[in-house]
Amino acid sequence: MNKLPPSLSVGTLLNLQPVAQNSGGGFDVQLIGYMPGESLLVSQPLNNRAAVKLVAGMAYQARIASGDSTYAFETEIVRVCDQPYQYMHLRFPKGIQGVILRRAQRTRISESQLVLNMQDGAESRSVAMLDISPLGACLVSEQPLGKVGDFFCIDVQHKSTADTLAFPCTIRHINKTPVRESQPAYYHGVEFSKLDVNALNFITHFIRDSVARQRTA
């Protein structure tokens, strides 16, 4: 394949997850250019991800979030460059493998079902979750939770348990909607990453039970 796949364009944010076990965590990069059939040119991880060890030859799964869908392809680091600025070459995809990696079932949430807590420094911020899927959620707040690409973690508690679950999130898009003249609402589409088994099981059972209740209502 010698042309850029339709789901990729300069400026696209890619999440790279290492294929090998014990190779560290994933990170986000931005597509800044490409050589057809040869390589994708992407930014290096931000400074706060400096612990990521970038080595030529390491294999990754690149993921691109788009609404409820996630597109993916296999790639590897071809070369890490520091001049004239920090960037790296990724192997050009042979095609977006599995055009849609998975389409997630999204379940709307009533206000009383989940209690959310987000720490911003020493302060706790009020956040509501409008809907949820295994891939991500829609978070609503009176103030922006960050900008696109920012990473944070929210604590989620369900009324049926005293346990608190951690949901690591990356902001993928933000919409500002006026609710009242003096109080707009910010809707954040977030993608989950590195959910532990308890959080994944919780989402799966939560969606299953919500669908069952809707069918019997």
Side-chain angles (χ1 to χ4, degrees):
M1 186 174 184
N2 290 320
K3 62 181 180 179
L4 205 64
S7 52
L8 275 173
S9 61
V10 173
T12 297
L13 197 67
L14 290 79
N15 178 257
L16 299 183
Q17 295 291 332
V19 173
Q21 298 292 326
N22 302 319
S23 298
F27 52 88
D28 291 332
V29 297
Q30 187 176 40
L31 180 65
I32 58 177
Y34 61 96
M35 179 65 71
E38 297 293 334
S39 65
L40 301 176
L41 277 65
V42 300
S43 62
Q44 288 191 31
L46 300 177
N47 290 335
N48 63 348
R49 302 285 187 128
V52 176
K53 187 176 182 180
L54 302 174
V55 179
M58 285 191 66
Y60 291 87
Q61 182 185 68
R63 300 177 182 176
I64 310 163
S66 177
D68 288 343
S69 302
T70 298
Y71 301 83
F73 60 90
E74 298 295 327
T75 187
E76 67 180 37
I77 295 178
V78 176
R79 185 177 181 183
V80 179
C81 304
D82 294 321
Q83 298 293 333
Y85 49 84
Q86 291 185 317
Y87 70 100
M88 56 186 177
H89 292 259
L90 299 181
R91 178 167 48 83
F92 198 87
K94 297 179 180 178
I96 298 294
Q97 298 168 335
V99 177
I100 297 181
L101 180 63
R102 58 180 175 181
R103 188 167 184 86
Q105 186 170 21
R106 190 172 288 273
T107 300
R108 293 187 67 85
I109 300 172
S110 66
E111 291 185 6
S112 60
Q113 284 183 291
L114 296 178
V115 177
L116 278 65
N117 181 46
M118 177 183 173
Q119 290 296 130
D120 184 7
E123 297 182 2
S124 179
R125 303 183 64 174
S126 175
V127 184
M129 186 178 286
L130 186 65
D131 57 40
I132 190 172
S133 80
L135 295 179
C138 178
L139 303 179
V140 186
S141 64
E142 295 179 1
Q143 299 294 329
L145 301 177
K147 60 183 183 296
V148 173
D150 280 357
F151 176 86
F152 58 87
C153 191
I154 56 174
D155 293 330
V156 179
Q157 186 173 1
H158 188 251
K159 61 183 180 180
S160 64
T161 178
D163 295 333
T164 299
L165 300 170
F167 283 29
C169 304
T170 300
I171 299 176
R172 295 307 185 192
H173 58 83
I174 305 173
N175 291 324
K176 179 181 177 181
T177 302
V179 178
R180 294 188 293 273
E181 184 176 348
S182 60
Q183 187 179 359
Y186 293 83
Y187 291 76
H188 307 75
V190 301
E191 180 183 17
F192 297 143
S193 60
K194 290 187 172 295
L195 292 176
D196 64 25
V197 65
N198 292 327
L200 285 169
N201 286 339
F202 169 80
I203 294 174
T204 300
H205 288 91
F206 183 87
I207 293 175
R208 183 198 62 192
D209 294 344
S210 295
V211 170
R213 284 195 300 269
Q214 292 171 8
R215 288 175 177 172
T216 59

